[in-house]
PDB file of all heavy atoms in Angstrom:
ATOM      1  N   PRO Q 177     120.390 104.934  65.287  1.00  0.00           N
ATOM      2  CA  PRO Q 177     119.602 104.913  66.515  1.00  0.00           C
ATOM      3  C   PRO Q 177     119.405 103.528  67.121  1.00  0.00           C
ATOM      4  O   PRO Q 177     119.063 103.424  68.292  1.00  0.00           O
ATOM      5  CB  PRO Q 177     118.265 105.493  66.066  1.00  0.00           C
ATOM      6  CG  PRO Q 177     118.161 105.121  64.625  1.00  0.00           C
ATOM      7  CD  PRO Q 177     119.571 105.177  64.106  1.00  0.00           C
ATOM      8  N   LEU Q 178     119.638 102.475  66.360  1.00  0.00           N
ATOM      9  CA  LEU Q 178     119.294 101.144  66.856  1.00  0.00           C
ATOM     10  C   LEU Q 178     120.061 100.727  68.106  1.00  0.00           C
ATOM     11  O   LEU Q 178     119.441 100.280  69.080  1.00  0.00           O
ATOM     12  CB  LEU Q 178     119.462 100.111  65.744  1.00  0.00           C
ATOM     13  CG  LEU Q 178     118.809  98.755  66.001  1.00  0.00           C
ATOM     14  CD1 LEU Q 178     117.325  98.922  66.318  1.00  0.00           C
ATOM     15  CD2 LEU Q 178     118.981  97.859  64.810  1.00  0.00           C
ATOM     16  N   PRO Q 179     121.389 100.849  68.169  1.00  0.00           N
ATOM     17  CA  PRO Q 179     122.081 100.453  69.404  1.00  0.00           C
ATOM     18  C   PRO Q 179     121.659 101.294  70.606  1.00  0.00           C
ATOM     19  O   PRO Q 179     121.469 100.757  71.707  1.00  0.00           O
ATOM     20  CB  PRO Q 179     123.560 100.674  69.093  1.00  0.00           C
ATOM     21  CG  PRO Q 179     123.660 100.676  67.613  1.00  0.00           C
ATOM     22  CD  PRO Q 179     122.348 101.211  67.125  1.00  0.00           C
ATOM     23  N   ALA Q 180     121.491 102.576  70.404  1.00  0.00           N
ATOM     24  CA  ALA Q 180     121.084 103.437  71.514  1.00  0.00           C
ATOM     25  C   ALA Q 180     119.672 103.103  71.962  1.00  0.00           C
ATOM     26  O   ALA Q 180     119.398 103.000  73.158  1.00  0.00           O
ATOM     27  CB  ALA Q 180     121.181 104.899  71.092  1.00  0.00           C
ATOM     28  N   LEU Q 181     118.770 102.909  71.019  1.00  0.00           N
ATOM     29  CA  LEU Q 181     117.390 102.574  71.378  1.00  0.00           C
ATOM     30  C   LEU Q 181     117.297 101.222  72.070  1.00  0.00           C
ATOM     31  O   LEU Q 181     116.468 101.037  72.963  1.00  0.00           O
ATOM     32  CB  LEU Q 181     116.501 102.601  70.135  1.00  0.00           C
ATOM     33  CG  LEU Q 181     116.239 103.984  69.546  1.00  0.00           C
ATOM     34  CD1 LEU Q 181     115.412 103.875  68.276  1.00  0.00           C
ATOM     35  CD2 LEU Q 181     115.546 104.881  70.554  1.00  0.00           C
ATOM     36  N   ALA Q 182     118.132 100.283  71.677  1.00  0.00           N
ATOM     37  CA  ALA Q 182     118.132  98.969  72.332  1.00  0.00           C
ATOM     38  C   ALA Q 182     118.565  99.090  73.789  1.00  0.00           C
ATOM     39  O   ALA Q 182     117.963  98.467  74.676  1.00  0.00           O
ATOM     40  CB  ALA Q 182     119.051  98.011  71.581  1.00  0.00           C
ATOM     41  N   GLY Q 183     119.563  99.890  74.050  1.00  0.00           N
ATOM     42  CA  GLY Q 183     120.004 100.091  75.433  1.00  0.00           C
ATOM     43  C   GLY Q 183     118.967 100.803  76.273  1.00  0.00           C
ATOM     44  O   GLY Q 183     118.699 100.433  77.415  1.00  0.00           O
ATOM     45  N   ILE Q 184     118.345 101.822  75.694  1.00  0.00           N
ATOM     46  CA  ILE Q 184     117.307 102.564  76.412  1.00  0.00           C
ATOM     47  C   ILE Q 184     116.114 101.652  76.690  1.00  0.00           C
ATOM     48  O   ILE Q 184     115.555 101.647  77.790  1.00  0.00           O
ATOM     49  CB  ILE Q 184     116.893 103.809  75.612  1.00  0.00           C
ATOM     50  CG1 ILE Q 184     118.061 104.798  75.568  1.00  0.00           C
ATOM     51  CG2 ILE Q 184     115.656 104.460  76.205  1.00  0.00           C
ATOM     52  CD1 ILE Q 184     117.882 105.922  74.572  1.00  0.00           C
ATOM     53  N   ALA Q 185     115.718 100.854  75.712  1.00  0.00           N
ATOM     54  CA  ALA Q 185     114.599  99.931  75.901  1.00  0.00           C
ATOM     55  C   ALA Q 185     114.912  98.883  76.965  1.00  0.00           C
ATOM     56  O   ALA Q 185     114.035  98.502  77.745  1.00  0.00           O
ATOM     57  CB  ALA Q 185     114.259  99.246  74.575  1.00  0.00           C
ATOM     58  N   ALA Q 186     116.154  98.429  77.016  1.00  0.00           N
ATOM     59  CA  ALA Q 186     116.537  97.450  78.035  1.00  0.00           C
ATOM     60  C   ALA Q 186     116.436  98.034  79.436  1.00  0.00           C
ATOM     61  O   ALA Q 186     115.937  97.382  80.363  1.00  0.00           O
ATOM     62  CB  ALA Q 186     117.960  96.945  77.771  1.00  0.00           C
ATOM     63  N   VAL Q 187     116.871  99.273  79.612  1.00  0.00           N
ATOM     64  CA  VAL Q 187     116.769  99.922  80.923  1.00  0.00           C
ATOM     65  C   VAL Q 187     115.308 100.148  81.293  1.00  0.00           C
ATOM     66  O   VAL Q 187     114.899  99.915  82.432  1.00  0.00           O
ATOM     67  CB  VAL Q 187     117.558 101.250  80.941  1.00  0.00           C
ATOM     68  CG1 VAL Q 187     117.274 102.041  82.196  1.00  0.00           C
ATOM     69  CG2 VAL Q 187     119.043 100.978  80.806  1.00  0.00           C
ATOM     70  N   LEU Q 188     114.499 100.578  80.329  1.00  0.00           N
ATOM     71  CA  LEU Q 188     113.078 100.793  80.582  1.00  0.00           C
ATOM     72  C   LEU Q 188     112.393  99.490  80.982  1.00  0.00           C
ATOM     73  O   LEU Q 188     111.641  99.443  81.967  1.00  0.00           O
ATOM     74  CB  LEU Q 188     112.414 101.395  79.345  1.00  0.00           C
ATOM     75  CG  LEU Q 188     110.922 101.671  79.437  1.00  0.00           C
ATOM     76  CD1 LEU Q 188     110.642 102.679  80.535  1.00  0.00           C
ATOM     77  CD2 LEU Q 188     110.393 102.168  78.114  1.00  0.00           C
ATOM     78  N   ALA Q 189     112.661  98.420  80.248  1.00  0.00           N
ATOM     79  CA  ALA Q 189     112.051  97.128  80.568  1.00  0.00           C
ATOM     80  C   ALA Q 189     112.508  96.613  81.926  1.00  0.00           C
ATOM     81  O   ALA Q 189     111.699  96.093  82.706  1.00  0.00           O
ATOM     82  CB  ALA Q 189     112.398  96.115  79.470  1.00  0.00           C
ATOM     83  N   ALA Q 190     113.780  96.766  82.224  1.00  0.00           N
ATOM     84  CA  ALA Q 190     114.291  96.300  83.518  1.00  0.00           C
ATOM     85  C   ALA Q 190     113.684  97.083  84.671  1.00  0.00           C
ATOM     86  O   ALA Q 190     113.324  96.505  85.705  1.00  0.00           O
ATOM     87  CB  ALA Q 190     115.814  96.411  83.547  1.00  0.00           C
ATOM     88  N   SER Q 191     113.528  98.393  84.506  1.00  0.00           N
ATOM     89  CA  SER Q 191     112.969  99.195  85.596  1.00  0.00           C
ATOM     90  C   SER Q 191     111.502  98.861  85.824  1.00  0.00           C
ATOM     91  O   SER Q 191     111.058  98.749  86.967  1.00  0.00           O
ATOM     92  CB  SER Q 191     113.144 100.686  85.320  1.00  0.00           C
ATOM     93  OG  SER Q 191     112.341 101.087  84.231  1.00  0.00           O
ATOM     94  N   GLN Q 192     110.735  98.677  84.769  1.00  0.00           N
ATOM     95  CA  GLN Q 192     109.324  98.344  84.930  1.00  0.00           C
ATOM     96  C   GLN Q 192     109.148  96.936  85.500  1.00  0.00           C
ATOM     97  O   GLN Q 192     108.270  96.706  86.333  1.00  0.00           O
ATOM     98  CB  GLN Q 192     108.598  98.472  83.595  1.00  0.00           C
ATOM     99  CG  GLN Q 192     108.476  99.898  83.117  1.00  0.00           C
ATOM    100  CD  GLN Q 192     107.767 100.782  84.126  1.00  0.00           C
ATOM    101  OE1 GLN Q 192     108.369 101.689  84.686  1.00  0.00           O
ATOM    102  NE2 GLN Q 192     106.518 100.539  84.382  1.00  0.00           N
ATOM    103  N   THR Q 193     109.988  96.001  85.070  1.00  0.00           N
ATOM    104  CA  THR Q 193     109.917  94.639  85.591  1.00  0.00           C
ATOM    105  C   THR Q 193     110.270  94.603  87.069  1.00  0.00           C
ATOM    106  O   THR Q 193     109.600  93.946  87.865  1.00  0.00           O
ATOM    107  CB  THR Q 193     110.863  93.719  84.796  1.00  0.00           C
ATOM    108  OG1 THR Q 193     110.480  93.761  83.415  1.00  0.00           O
ATOM    109  CG2 THR Q 193     110.798  92.296  85.300  1.00  0.00           C
ATOM    110  N   THR Q 194     111.303  95.337  87.457  1.00  0.00           N
ATOM    111  CA  THR Q 194     111.684  95.405  88.866  1.00  0.00           C
ATOM    112  C   THR Q 194     110.568  96.005  89.700  1.00  0.00           C
ATOM    113  O   THR Q 194     110.259  95.508  90.787  1.00  0.00           O
ATOM    114  CB  THR Q 194     112.969  96.246  89.030  1.00  0.00           C
ATOM    115  OG1 THR Q 194     113.996  95.665  88.240  1.00  0.00           O
ATOM    116  CG2 THR Q 194     113.404  96.313  90.472  1.00  0.00           C
ATOM    117  N   TYR Q 195     109.937  97.035  89.189  1.00  0.00           N
ATOM    118  CA  TYR Q 195     108.825  97.656  89.918  1.00  0.00           C
ATOM    119  C   TYR Q 195     107.692  96.650  90.110  1.00  0.00           C
ATOM    120  O   TYR Q 195     107.183  96.477  91.217  1.00  0.00           O
ATOM    121  CB  TYR Q 195     108.319  98.882  89.173  1.00  0.00           C
ATOM    122  CG  TYR Q 195     107.067  99.470  89.785  1.00  0.00           C
ATOM    123  CD1 TYR Q 195     107.141 100.244  90.930  1.00  0.00           C
ATOM    124  CD2 TYR Q 195     105.814  99.222  89.233  1.00  0.00           C
ATOM    125  CE1 TYR Q 195     105.998 100.781  91.511  1.00  0.00           C
ATOM    126  CE2 TYR Q 195     104.670  99.743  89.810  1.00  0.00           C
ATOM    127  CZ  TYR Q 195     104.769 100.518  90.944  1.00  0.00           C
ATOM    128  OH  TYR Q 195     103.638 101.024  91.516  1.00  0.00           O
ATOM    129  N   ASP Q 196     107.295  95.976  89.026  1.00  0.00           N
ATOM    130  CA  ASP Q 196     106.165  95.043  89.102  1.00  0.00           C
ATOM    131  C   ASP Q 196     106.457  93.811  89.946  1.00  0.00           C
ATOM    132  O   ASP Q 196     105.575  93.310  90.642  1.00  0.00           O
ATOM    133  CB  ASP Q 196     105.747  94.599  87.699  1.00  0.00           C
ATOM    134  CG  ASP Q 196     105.028  95.711  86.941  1.00  0.00           C
ATOM    135  OD1 ASP Q 196     104.440  96.595  87.600  1.00  0.00           O
ATOM    136  OD2 ASP Q 196     105.053  95.681  85.699  1.00  0.00           O
ATOM    137  N   LEU Q 197     107.692  93.316  89.906  1.00  0.00           N
ATOM    138  CA  LEU Q 197     108.010  92.069  90.610  1.00  0.00           C
ATOM    139  C   LEU Q 197     108.483  92.256  92.050  1.00  0.00           C
ATOM    140  O   LEU Q 197     108.290  91.373  92.881  1.00  0.00           O
ATOM    141  CB  LEU Q 197     109.072  91.286  89.835  1.00  0.00           C
ATOM    142  CG  LEU Q 197     108.642  90.758  88.470  1.00  0.00           C
ATOM    143  CD1 LEU Q 197     109.808  90.056  87.783  1.00  0.00           C
ATOM    144  CD2 LEU Q 197     107.467  89.805  88.601  1.00  0.00           C
ATOM    145  N   ILE Q 198     109.108  93.390  92.348  1.00  0.00           N
ATOM    146  CA  ILE Q 198     109.711  93.562  93.680  1.00  0.00           C
ATOM    147  C   ILE Q 198     109.036  94.675  94.467  1.00  0.00           C
ATOM    148  O   ILE Q 198     108.539  94.457  95.567  1.00  0.00           O
ATOM    149  CB  ILE Q 198     111.219  93.828  93.560  1.00  0.00           C
ATOM    150  CG1 ILE Q 198     111.907  92.618  92.938  1.00  0.00           C
ATOM    151  CG2 ILE Q 198     111.819  94.158  94.925  1.00  0.00           C
ATOM    152  CD1 ILE Q 198     113.357  92.826  92.606  1.00  0.00           C
ATOM    153  N   TRP Q 199     109.020  95.892  93.921  1.00  0.00           N
ATOM    154  CA  TRP Q 199     108.590  97.042  94.718  1.00  0.00           C
ATOM    155  C   TRP Q 199     107.092  97.082  94.946  1.00  0.00           C
ATOM    156  O   TRP Q 199     106.646  97.366  96.054  1.00  0.00           O
ATOM    157  CB  TRP Q 199     109.070  98.342  94.084  1.00  0.00           C
ATOM    158  CG  TRP Q 199     110.552  98.435  94.113  1.00  0.00           C
ATOM    159  CD1 TRP Q 199     111.389  98.336  93.048  1.00  0.00           C
ATOM    160  CD2 TRP Q 199     111.379  98.580  95.263  1.00  0.00           C
ATOM    161  NE1 TRP Q 199     112.693  98.419  93.456  1.00  0.00           N
ATOM    162  CE2 TRP Q 199     112.713  98.575  94.829  1.00  0.00           C
ATOM    163  CE3 TRP Q 199     111.128  98.713  96.619  1.00  0.00           C
ATOM    164  CZ2 TRP Q 199     113.777  98.709  95.690  1.00  0.00           C
ATOM    165  CZ3 TRP Q 199     112.198  98.851  97.479  1.00  0.00           C
ATOM    166  CH2 TRP Q 199     113.503  98.848  97.012  1.00  0.00           C
ATOM    167  N   LYS Q 200     106.301  96.817  93.930  1.00  0.00           N
ATOM    168  CA  LYS Q 200     104.859  96.899  94.082  1.00  0.00           C
ATOM    169  C   LYS Q 200     104.329  95.866  95.080  1.00  0.00           C
ATOM    170  O   LYS Q 200     103.547  96.214  95.958  1.00  0.00           O
ATOM    171  CB  LYS Q 200     104.184  96.744  92.719  1.00  0.00           C
ATOM    172  CG  LYS Q 200     102.730  97.134  92.711  1.00  0.00           C
ATOM    173  CD  LYS Q 200     102.197  97.134  91.293  1.00  0.00           C
ATOM    174  CE  LYS Q 200     100.759  97.561  91.253  1.00  0.00           C
ATOM    175  NZ  LYS Q 200     100.255  97.562  89.878  1.00  0.00           N
ATOM    176  N   PRO Q 201     104.740  94.600  95.003  1.00  0.00           N
ATOM    177  CA  PRO Q 201     104.251  93.621  95.997  1.00  0.00           C
ATOM    178  C   PRO Q 201     104.804  93.845  97.408  1.00  0.00           C
ATOM    179  O   PRO Q 201     104.218  93.361  98.369  1.00  0.00           O
ATOM    180  CB  PRO Q 201     104.732  92.270  95.459  1.00  0.00           C
ATOM    181  CG  PRO Q 201     105.084  92.493  94.048  1.00  0.00           C
ATOM    182  CD  PRO Q 201     105.455  93.943  93.921  1.00  0.00           C
ATOM    183  N   SER Q 202     105.898  94.577  97.546  1.00  0.00           N
ATOM    184  CA  SER Q 202     106.517  94.741  98.861  1.00  0.00           C
ATOM    185  C   SER Q 202     105.794  95.747  99.749  1.00  0.00           C
ATOM    186  O   SER Q 202     106.157  95.918 100.899  1.00  0.00           O
ATOM    187  CB  SER Q 202     107.972  95.187  98.710  1.00  0.00           C
ATOM    188  OG  SER Q 202     108.018  96.536  98.291  1.00  0.00           O
ATOM    189  N   LYS Q 203     104.786  96.413  99.223  1.00  0.00           N
ATOM    190  CA  LYS Q 203     104.022  97.441  99.944  1.00  0.00           C
ATOM    191  C   LYS Q 203     104.813  98.735 100.135  1.00  0.00           C
ATOM    192  O   LYS Q 203     104.315  99.669 100.726  1.00  0.00           O
ATOM    193  CB  LYS Q 203     103.507  96.944 101.305  1.00  0.00           C
ATOM    194  CG  LYS Q 203     102.725  95.667 101.233  1.00  0.00           C
ATOM    195  CD  LYS Q 203     101.423  95.863 100.492  1.00  0.00           C
ATOM    196  CE  LYS Q 203     100.615  94.573 100.576  1.00  0.00           C
ATOM    197  NZ  LYS Q 203      99.983  94.199  99.364  1.00  0.00           N
ATOM    198  N   ILE Q 204     106.046  98.777  99.658  1.00  0.00           N
ATOM    199  CA  ILE Q 204     106.818 100.009  99.732  1.00  0.00           C
ATOM    200  C   ILE Q 204     106.337 100.982  98.659  1.00  0.00           C
ATOM    201  O   ILE Q 204     106.134 102.164  98.933  1.00  0.00           O
ATOM    202  CB  ILE Q 204     108.330  99.729  99.583  1.00  0.00           C
ATOM    203  CG1 ILE Q 204     108.816  98.930 100.787  1.00  0.00           C
ATOM    204  CG2 ILE Q 204     109.122 101.015  99.425  1.00  0.00           C
ATOM    205  CD1 ILE Q 204     110.234  98.436 100.657  1.00  0.00           C
ATOM    206  N   ALA Q 205     106.130 100.483  97.448  1.00  0.00           N
ATOM    207  CA  ALA Q 205     105.706 101.350  96.350  1.00  0.00           C
ATOM    208  C   ALA Q 205     104.361 102.019  96.628  1.00  0.00           C
ATOM    209  O   ALA Q 205     104.232 103.232  96.433  1.00  0.00           O
ATOM    210  CB  ALA Q 205     105.665 100.567  95.040  1.00  0.00           C
ATOM    211  N   PRO Q 206     103.335 101.282  97.089  1.00  0.00           N
ATOM    212  CA  PRO Q 206     102.076 101.968  97.382  1.00  0.00           C
ATOM    213  C   PRO Q 206     102.219 103.036  98.474  1.00  0.00           C
ATOM    214  O   PRO Q 206     101.576 104.083  98.398  1.00  0.00           O
ATOM    215  CB  PRO Q 206     101.144 100.847  97.841  1.00  0.00           C
ATOM    216  CG  PRO Q 206     101.684  99.626  97.182  1.00  0.00           C
ATOM    217  CD  PRO Q 206     103.165  99.834  97.165  1.00  0.00           C
ATOM    218  N   ALA Q 207     103.068 102.789  99.451  1.00  0.00           N
ATOM    219  CA  ALA Q 207     103.281 103.792 100.506  1.00  0.00           C
ATOM    220  C   ALA Q 207     103.943 105.037  99.939  1.00  0.00           C
ATOM    221  O   ALA Q 207     103.551 106.161 100.261  1.00  0.00           O
ATOM    222  CB  ALA Q 207     104.130 103.197 101.627  1.00  0.00           C
ATOM    223  N   VAL Q 208     104.921 104.858  99.082  1.00  0.00           N
ATOM    224  CA  VAL Q 208     105.596 106.004  98.458  1.00  0.00           C
ATOM    225  C   VAL Q 208     104.617 106.749  97.550  1.00  0.00           C
ATOM    226  O   VAL Q 208     104.579 107.977  97.537  1.00  0.00           O
ATOM    227  CB  VAL Q 208     106.844 105.547  97.671  1.00  0.00           C
ATOM    228  CG1 VAL Q 208     107.410 106.678  96.833  1.00  0.00           C
ATOM    229  CG2 VAL Q 208     107.883 104.992  98.607  1.00  0.00           C
ATOM    230  N   GLU Q 209     103.804 106.004  96.798  1.00  0.00           N
ATOM    231  CA  GLU Q 209     102.827 106.635  95.921  1.00  0.00           C
ATOM    232  C   GLU Q 209     101.798 107.436  96.722  1.00  0.00           C
ATOM    233  O   GLU Q 209     101.380 108.512  96.303  1.00  0.00           O
ATOM    234  CB  GLU Q 209     102.147 105.585  95.055  1.00  0.00           C
ATOM    235  CG  GLU Q 209     103.079 105.004  94.010  1.00  0.00           C
ATOM    236  CD  GLU Q 209     102.504 103.785  93.312  1.00  0.00           C
ATOM    237  OE1 GLU Q 209     101.346 103.411  93.591  1.00  0.00           O
ATOM    238  OE2 GLU Q 209     103.218 103.205  92.482  1.00  0.00           O
ATOM    239  N   ASP Q 210     101.385 106.920  97.864  1.00  0.00           N
ATOM    240  CA  ASP Q 210     100.446 107.653  98.712  1.00  0.00           C
ATOM    241  C   ASP Q 210     101.052 108.953  99.224  1.00  0.00           C
ATOM    242  O   ASP Q 210     100.390 109.982  99.266  1.00  0.00           O
ATOM    243  CB  ASP Q 210      99.999 106.802  99.905  1.00  0.00           C
ATOM    244  CG  ASP Q 210      99.013 105.716  99.503  1.00  0.00           C
ATOM    245  OD1 ASP Q 210      98.412 105.817  98.405  1.00  0.00           O
ATOM    246  OD2 ASP Q 210      98.836 104.762 100.288  1.00  0.00           O
ATOM    247  N   VAL Q 211     102.304 108.907  99.605  1.00  0.00           N
ATOM    248  CA  VAL Q 211     102.960 110.090 100.152  1.00  0.00           C
ATOM    249  C   VAL Q 211     103.235 111.120  99.061  1.00  0.00           C
ATOM    250  O   VAL Q 211     103.094 112.324  99.283  1.00  0.00           O
ATOM    251  CB  VAL Q 211     104.280 109.699 100.870  1.00  0.00           C
ATOM    252  CG1 VAL Q 211     105.082 110.918 101.243  1.00  0.00           C
ATOM    253  CG2 VAL Q 211     103.970 108.855 102.087  1.00  0.00           C
ATOM    254  N   THR Q 212     103.605 110.664  97.874  1.00  0.00           N
ATOM    255  CA  THR Q 212     104.026 111.589  96.826  1.00  0.00           C
ATOM    256  C   THR Q 212     102.918 112.021  95.873  1.00  0.00           C
ATOM    257  O   THR Q 212     103.128 112.910  95.077  1.00  0.00           O
ATOM    258  CB  THR Q 212     105.170 110.985  95.995  1.00  0.00           C
ATOM    259  OG1 THR Q 212     104.721 109.761  95.414  1.00  0.00           O
ATOM    260  CG2 THR Q 212     106.393 110.757  96.855  1.00  0.00           C
ATOM    261  N   SER Q 213     101.759 111.384  95.946  1.00  0.00           N
ATOM    262  CA  SER Q 213     100.685 111.776  95.039  1.00  0.00           C
ATOM    263  C   SER Q 213     100.084 113.109  95.495  1.00  0.00           C
ATOM    264  O   SER Q 213     100.105 113.448  96.677  1.00  0.00           O
ATOM    265  CB  SER Q 213      99.601 110.702  94.981  1.00  0.00           C
ATOM    266  OG  SER Q 213      98.936 110.614  96.214  1.00  0.00           O
ATOM    267  N   GLY Q 214      99.529 113.830  94.553  1.00  0.00           N
ATOM    268  CA  GLY Q 214      98.976 115.144  94.866  1.00  0.00           C
ATOM    269  C   GLY Q 214      97.696 115.080  95.659  1.00  0.00           C
ATOM    270  O   GLY Q 214      97.357 115.993  96.394  1.00  0.00           O
ATOM    271  N   SER Q 215      96.959 113.993  95.540  1.00  0.00           N
ATOM    272  CA  SER Q 215      95.688 113.891  96.253  1.00  0.00           C
ATOM    273  C   SER Q 215      95.775 112.839  97.335  1.00  0.00           C
ATOM    274  O   SER Q 215      96.379 111.801  97.171  1.00  0.00           O
ATOM    275  CB  SER Q 215      94.563 113.530  95.282  1.00  0.00           C
ATOM    276  OG  SER Q 215      94.834 112.281  94.676  1.00  0.00           O
ATOM    277  N   ALA Q 216      95.163 113.132  98.453  1.00  0.00           N
ATOM    278  CA  ALA Q 216      95.178 112.190  99.574  1.00  0.00           C
ATOM    279  C   ALA Q 216      94.057 111.174  99.382  1.00  0.00           C
ATOM    280  O   ALA Q 216      92.950 111.502  98.986  1.00  0.00           O
ATOM    281  CB  ALA Q 216      94.989 112.934 100.886  1.00  0.00           C
ATOM    282  N   ARG Q 217      94.350 109.928  99.680  1.00  0.00           N
ATOM    283  CA  ARG Q 217      93.343 108.875  99.600  1.00  0.00           C
ATOM    284  C   ARG Q 217      92.597 108.791 100.926  1.00  0.00           C
ATOM    285  O   ARG Q 217      93.173 108.970 101.989  1.00  0.00           O
ATOM    286  CB  ARG Q 217      94.006 107.526  99.311  1.00  0.00           C
ATOM    287  CG  ARG Q 217      94.608 107.435  97.946  1.00  0.00           C
ATOM    288  CD  ARG Q 217      95.091 106.032  97.710  1.00  0.00           C
ATOM    289  NE  ARG Q 217      95.838 105.959  96.459  1.00  0.00           N
ATOM    290  CZ  ARG Q 217      96.412 104.862  96.032  1.00  0.00           C
ATOM    291  NH1 ARG Q 217      96.361 103.768  96.717  1.00  0.00           N
ATOM    292  NH2 ARG Q 217      97.068 104.868  94.893  1.00  0.00           N
ATOM    293  N   THR Q 218      91.353 108.469 100.816  1.00  0.00           N
ATOM    294  CA  THR Q 218      90.568 108.277 102.040  1.00  0.00           C
ATOM    295  C   THR Q 218      90.274 106.796 102.193  1.00  0.00           C
ATOM    296  O   THR Q 218      90.037 106.094 101.222  1.00  0.00           O
ATOM    297  CB  THR Q 218      89.246 109.062 101.986  1.00  0.00           C
ATOM    298  OG1 THR Q 218      88.500 108.630 100.841  1.00  0.00           O
ATOM    299  CG2 THR Q 218      89.513 110.544 101.901  1.00  0.00           C
ATOM    300  N   THR Q 219      90.320 106.311 103.397  1.00  0.00           N
ATOM    301  CA  THR Q 219      90.045 104.907 103.656  1.00  0.00           C
ATOM    302  C   THR Q 219      88.794 104.797 104.504  1.00  0.00           C
ATOM    303  O   THR Q 219      88.508 105.619 105.349  1.00  0.00           O
ATOM    304  CB  THR Q 219      91.217 104.235 104.412  1.00  0.00           C
ATOM    305  OG1 THR Q 219      91.456 104.951 105.606  1.00  0.00           O
ATOM    306  CG2 THR Q 219      92.468 104.221 103.553  1.00  0.00           C
TER     307      THR Q 219
END
């Protein structure tokens, strides 16, 4: 399992890092989360 788990962990880490560094600060991620979440936010 070690080689497979290392590859899976690398993809997981890369996806979370990309989300935190690029998508979340770009205001695109919060907009997508607002549209796709089950509950509507009130402002």
Side-chain angles (χ1 to χ4, degrees):
L178 195 55
L181 290 177
I184 293 168
V187 170
L188 179 62
S191 68
Q192 291 303 114
T193 302
T194 302
Y195 173 78
D196 287 335
L197 294 177
I198 297 172
W199 294 109
K200 194 172 182 180
S202 73
K203 307 293 186 222
I204 294 172
V208 170
E209 290 169 3
D210 286 342
V211 171
T212 59
S213 67
S215 61
R217 292 186 187 178
T218 58
T219 56

